[in-house]
């Protein structure tokens, strides 16, 4: 097993010492990939995938695979039978399903909100990856499990423990309909056995949902009528249902807020990189864009005059509804300081606010605003 | 009192026999105003306001005011005291608040959805009007009423009765926070006493909400923990929380659906009128656009090449967040058949789908798609 220090984790991405490298905090493990390093990659290579682990799991401090032998997953709740235990190893012999999909921290972009505590993600808490594994529905079928129609949520627990005796153990609930329709117990990431640091040997993956909902080191699934009341699900990783004034206090309840479930529409400029200097004239601008997979993107627009006018970009629609789109266009730029703005719109009519802080929320989740990339034209 | 027949109601709008006049059904009263008749009106004149009354109230078949003397409104529920009765007449002496606001049937645009039963509204179930009256919060304060913090909904009932013994009596629930923040008991419409046909003498008005939530002939308000289980609130006038395939059956429950509360982002071309013939060259295009008042509109865009390119339009931002915007621009058109498309986007990043039927729902509510106005250029 390759043992990693926090600094090693940083080194995973940057092939040397990239000046934008940020290991945001030593523990729990957090590190972001400078967004420009993703340019030219349809699939984000595993060494550039951001890391955000709420709880520390020392034996998973590794980019190597973790042994699957002996790993058990318990299924309990309103189901018949009321409890089964499956061996993760048996999943290896079942039919595998693959998702090319965006993996994004729900706190990505937090640094753009005013007055927010917490990990100051800018744009680097995102990747486009391939997970593969076995549909949970196939596991249920194989074991003859019948889910009670009263069940509304599936709550997932990982094997890692709480960071202290006073803290909740992390778990998250997902709508049962989505879990039964699309969730897989993932065994592989980008074609390789799932690295320990990314949840290996087994992780619950539900495409279209934020990263925090992709529970690592899957140990237990509960089929229940109600959502988890765990701190991380019932208080953190939620947004108020009604707008809150920036800086205002807000007491989260299950009724006045919702979980950070579905990924928000986003677009990023990957090229030119932020603060780059480029030559005058025709400048190629490219980037990525995505949503929660509910509808195709209709357009990605670029503005170099601070939103006065927008020009369409070119892209191919990926086969997977959960994957990001690679878009590009060319703009004409005179010498001076410029900002490149990108904005996507999808076939549901969802777009991005010019100032994403209109969606301010106390923990700074679900940034969906237009990113503004400053560049210098020489 | 001016007594009206159904045909009279139609005549209210059309100043003669406009060919597009539609009195959609004789009973309950329904009639739409051809959208082009609203061109050039910042405030829709009262004789052009659409009518949609779910229940018949024969004594309100009049464009005249209805007597306010003796009209009582009961307030009951989780409040201290647990019941009060107020005289509507006392509202005349209290401070009045005015809202310029969009009044829109939640079924407006229904004719654009495939496979939908129900009143085939096209674009005419909308108006921009001025309601004035007394904030409900001021009435509560005057009478020393304290609302219990457990209350989550305010359910409003009107004095009209059900259309048959087997039918529910219409009522609707609104979130208590919105009601206490913005609802008024309206006494006047466009500066005149509220006409009987539009809910006079008193109507509960909450700006930003669809027309069905603006309860006419207000008789009773209930302050409760739960939503109404009335058919019109718990089954009709709801949309599923998750997408439904067009034509599929759906059994509405309070949990799997939500009320048609907040007005959706919309834009309309008022000029040229649909199917108009205009001269080649520079063509003035104008219309209206609005949302639920949660954020200003950022832009209204027009396309004359079926969405390939979009050009911005000019507008002033109205003082009232709930009012519609009057926008206009000029386009260059060659002879032939054309379509004019309009699309708004607001500062929350909300826009309109090119094909609004992506939001298909069994009762055809909340159309927010781009309207496509066919014209001929000679």
């Amino acid at each position: 097993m390759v043992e990693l220090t926090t600094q090693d984790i940083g080194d995973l991405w940057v092939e040397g010492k990239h000046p934008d490298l940020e290991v945001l905090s030593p523990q729990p493990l957090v590190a972001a990939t400078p967004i420009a390093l993703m340019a030219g990659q349809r699939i984000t290579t595993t060494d550039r995938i951001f890391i955000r682990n709420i709880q520390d799991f020392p034996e998973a401090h590794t980019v190597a695979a973790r042994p699957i032998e002996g790993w058990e997953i318990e299924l309990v709740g309103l189901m018949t039978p009321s409890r089964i235990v499956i061996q993760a190893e048996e999943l290896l012999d079942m039919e595998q399903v693959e998702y090319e999909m965006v993996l994004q921290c729900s706190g990505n972009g937090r640094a753009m909100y005013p007055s927010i505590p917490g990990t100051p993600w800018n744009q680097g808490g995102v990747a486009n990856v391939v997970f593969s594994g076995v549909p949970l529905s196939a596991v249920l079928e194989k074991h003859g499990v019948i889910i009670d129609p009263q069940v509304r949520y599936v709550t997932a627990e990982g094997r890692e423990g709480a960071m202290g005796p006073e803290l909740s153990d992390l778990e998250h609930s997902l709508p049962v309909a989505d879990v039964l329709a699309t969730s897989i117990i993932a065994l592989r990431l980008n074609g390789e056995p799932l690295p320990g640091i990314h949840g290996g040997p087994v992780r619950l993956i539900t495409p279209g949902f934020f990263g925090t909902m992709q529970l690592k080191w899957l140990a237990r699934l509960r089929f229940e009528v109600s959502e988890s009341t765990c701190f991380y699900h019932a208080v953190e990783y939620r947004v108020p249902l009604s707008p809150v004034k920036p800086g205002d206090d807000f007491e989260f309840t299950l009724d006045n807020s919702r979980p950070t479930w579905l990924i928000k529409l986003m677009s990023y400029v990957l090229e030119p990189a932020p603060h780059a200097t480029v030559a005058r004239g025709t400048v190629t601008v490219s980037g990525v864009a995505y949503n929660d997979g509910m509808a195709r993107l209709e357009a990605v627009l670029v503005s170099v005059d601070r939103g006065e006018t927008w020009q369409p970009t070119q892209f191919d629609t990926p086969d997977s509804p959960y994957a990001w789109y690679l878009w590009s266009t060319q703009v004409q730029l005179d010498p001076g300081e410029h900002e490149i703005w990108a904005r996507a719109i999808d076939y549901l009519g969802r777009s991005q606010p010019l100032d994403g802080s209109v969606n301010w929320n106390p923990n700074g989740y679900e940034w969906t605003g237009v990113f503004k990339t400053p560049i210098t034209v020489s």
Side-chain angles (χ1 to χ4, degrees), chain A:
Chain A
M1 189 192 303
V2 182
E3 295 288 344
L4 298 174
T5 65
T6 304
Q7 189 54 51
D8 292 332
I9 301 290
D11 288 343
L12 289 178
W13 302 278
V14 292
E15 300 160 351
K17 298 294 174 194
H18 192 284
D20 290 342
L21 168 66
E22 278 187 297
V23 175
L24 297 166
S25 74
Q27 199 187 24
L29 287 166
V30 184
T33 307
I35 190 77
L37 288 184
M38 296 176 209
Q41 296 193 332
R42 148 132 233 112
I43 305 297
T44 310
T45 49
T46 303
D47 58 357
R48 294 188 179 182
I49 299 172
F50 73 98
I51 290 175
R52 174 70 178 112
N53 289 332
I54 289 289
Q55 302 188 150
D56 201 12
F57 191 33
E59 66 185 79
H61 281 201
T62 174
V63 290
R66 294 275 305 134
I68 196 165
E69 299 75 24
W71 190 279
E72 293 185 337
I73 306 169
E74 185 185 13
L75 280 63
V76 295
L78 289 169
M79 54 185 241
T80 308
S82 62
R83 177 177 182 273
I84 67 166
V85 175
I86 66 165
Q87 303 299 317
E89 210 173 351
E90 74 185 64
L91 302 174
L92 295 170
D93 298 327
M94 296 177 68
E95 194 176 342
Q96 307 290 304
V97 165
E98 182 178 287
Y99 290 120
E100 182 184 334
M101 56 181 270
V102 167
L103 185 69
Q104 191 215 300
C105 180
S106 57
N108 199 38
R110 177 181 291 128
M112 309 291 291
Y113 287 114
S115 327
I116 304 263
T119 311
W121 293 105
N122 189 338
Q123 302 182 35
V126 63
N128 189 56
V129 301
V130 178
F131 279 110
S132 60
V134 177
L136 182 63
S137 57
V139 174
L140 297 175
E141 190 178 6
K142 177 182 173 191
H143 288 270
V145 173
I146 307 296
I147 303 299
D148 188 293
Q150 290 180 78
V151 169
R152 291 175 57 202
Y153 300 95
V154 179
T155 297
E157 306 173 35
R159 187 136 293 146
E160 84 284 23
M163 298 291 285
E166 77 291 6
L167 293 176
S168 287
D169 193 11
L170 173 72
E171 60 185 40
H172 274 304
S173 305
L174 292 162
V176 67
D178 296 280
V179 170
L180 296 181
T182 62
S183 292
I184 61 173
I185 302 178
L187 306 170
R188 298 177 83 82
L189 171 62
N190 290 347
E192 299 292 333
L194 190 56
I197 197 72
H198 291 299
V202 284
R203 182 171 181 179
L204 184 70
I205 292 292
T206 311
F209 284 68
F210 279 120
T212 192
M213 299 295 162
Q214 319 290 356
L215 260 280
K216 300 182 182 87
W217 311 299
L218 182 64
R220 198 160 182 247
L221 291 170
R222 306 198 312 264
F223 294 81
E224 297 180 331
V225 173
S226 300
E227 285 179 86
S228 167
T229 55
C230 158
F231 172 79
Y232 295 105
H233 186 79
V235 179
E236 283 250 308
Y237 292 99
R238 296 185 82 84
V239 291
L241 292 176
S242 301
V244 178
K245 225 171 71 191
D248 272 9
D249 284 341
F250 184 82
E251 193 172 334
F252 283 89
T253 70
L254 291 177
D255 282 336
N256 70 12
S257 64
R258 58 169 177 74
T260 56
W261 272 338
L262 290 175
I263 290 175
K264 293 290 174 186
L265 187 70
M266 284 299 293
S267 58
Y268 302 75
V269 175
L270 302 190
E271 182 197 15
H275 307 291
T277 298
V278 301
R280 76 173 70 186
T282 302
V283 176
T284 296
V285 177
S286 69
V288 295
Y290 57 82
N291 64 6
D292 54 10
M294 301 274 282
R296 287 190 295 127
L297 298 189
E298 177 204 321
V300 181
L301 306 170
V302 162
S303 178
V304 291
D305 57 10
R306 293 179 159 74
E308 284 296 302
T309 60
W310 297 85
Q311 69 178 62
T313 66
Q314 290 72 53
F315 55 77
D316 293 323
T317 299
D319 292 336
S320 167
Y322 308 110
W324 67 23
Y325 291 53
L326 301 177
W327 56 262
S328 71
T329 190
Q330 296 193 312
V331 298
Q332 299 300 320
L333 291 176
D334 295 327
E337 303 299 312
H338 294 270
E339 284 187 4
I340 304 175
W341 296 9
R343 162 188 268 181
I345 183 167
D346 72 13
Y347 277 99
L348 289 174
R350 299 179 297 185
S351 190
Q352 303 179 250
L354 288 188
D355 176 4
S357 62
V358 292
N359 294 315
W360 190 93
N361 59 87
N363 298 315
Y365 296 121
E366 299 192 353
W367 176 267
T368 181
V370 170
F371 279 121
K372 294 154 187 178
T373 300
I375 62 164
T376 302
V377 177
S378 64

